[in-house]
Amino acid sequence: MTGITLRVPRSGDMGWVVEQHGALYAEEYGWNHEFEALVAEIVAGMIRTHDPAWETGWIAERATPTGPERLGSAFVVRKSEGVAQLRLVLVRPEARGLGVGAQLTDRCLAFAREKGYRQMVLWTNANLLAARALYTRRGFRLTGSEPYRGYGHDLVSEIWELEL
């Protein structure tokens, strides 16, 4: 994965995270503006309540002749004492297959372990097959699922957990 680095978010990155989620999920899954609104709410909450002692995130990027290009994101937030939550994992289409998702997720898991979290949880949707495969390879277990109507589609939400 030469030339790809992970860095902490800086000004402008959180807006990019919202925009990328909204645009990519609309293009790839036909999800409507409700999903982008959800991501905006999550991002706003993370910014407002960020506790750097327990929470962090990363932006994956690579150098290009015209400057750095953002390729993905992933965040760790404190869900409760001892429990971390993996949030907003995203990999741009041009970076898929390069190990960006694995690197981002592994960095989040390492951070959670360093902080002494006992468990990491995440929420996803059953139709996000690449994400589900990524989580399965890291030992996450599917612990709950529920059908719902969201983002203009009938979907199945999933909760995944990993004991750290």
Side-chain angles (χ1 to χ4, degrees), residues 77-153:
V77 298
R78 187 176 192 171
K79 185 161 178 72
S80 64
E81 187 175 329
V83 180
Q85 184 172 6
L86 183 63
R87 306 235 51 188
L88 304 176
V89 177
L90 176 113
V91 177
R92 292 269 320 139
E94 62 272 18
R96 293 177 187 158
L98 301 178
V100 173
Q103 188 178 6
L104 284 162
T105 303
D106 290 346
R107 181 71 63 91
C108 289
L109 289 169
F111 174 85
R113 288 182 175 113
E114 289 166 13
K115 293 298 178 179
Y117 284 112
R118 297 182 315 273
Q119 183 183 61
M120 181 170 275
V121 299
L122 64 89
W123 175 85
T124 192
N125 281 276
N127 65 321
L128 304 180
L129 301 179
R132 294 172 87 245
L134 175 71
Y135 305 140
T136 299
R137 285 191 302 272
R138 272 141 191 83
F140 280 89
R141 297 179 303 107
L142 176 63
T143 59
S145 65
E146 181 177 359
Y148 74 104
R149 179 79 181 166
Y151 325 126
H153 297 274

Side-chain angles (χ1 to χ4, degrees), residues 62-85:
R62 69 178 160 200
T64 72
T66 58
E69 175 186 30
R70 290 179 282 212
L71 300 174
S73 66
F75 298 86
V76 177
V77 298
R78 187 176 192 171
K79 185 161 178 72
S80 64
E81 187 175 329
V83 180
Q85 184 172 6

Side-chain angles (χ1 to χ4, degrees), residues 9-87:
R10 55 184 178 238
S11 294
D13 286 332
M14 300 309 273
W16 177 85
V17 168
V18 173
E19 187 271 335
Q20 289 299 300
H21 275 81
L24 283 174
Y25 282 79
E27 180 180 324
E28 295 180 356
Y29 301 102
W31 291 6
N32 66 23
H33 62 279
E34 294 169 6
F35 181 68
E36 189 169 356
L38 172 66
V39 174
E41 290 168 1
I42 291 168
V43 165
M46 288 178 3
I47 291 169
R48 285 188 190 110
T49 64
H50 178 66
D51 181 351
W54 294 99
E55 302 172 322
T56 195
W58 289 274
I59 301 296
E61 69 179 15
R62 69 178 160 200
T64 72
T66 58
E69 175 186 30
R70 290 179 282 212
L71 300 174
S73 66
F75 298 86
V76 177
V77 298
R78 187 176 192 171
K79 185 161 178 72
S80 64
E81 187 175 329
V83 180
Q85 184 172 6
L86 183 63
R87 306 235 51 188

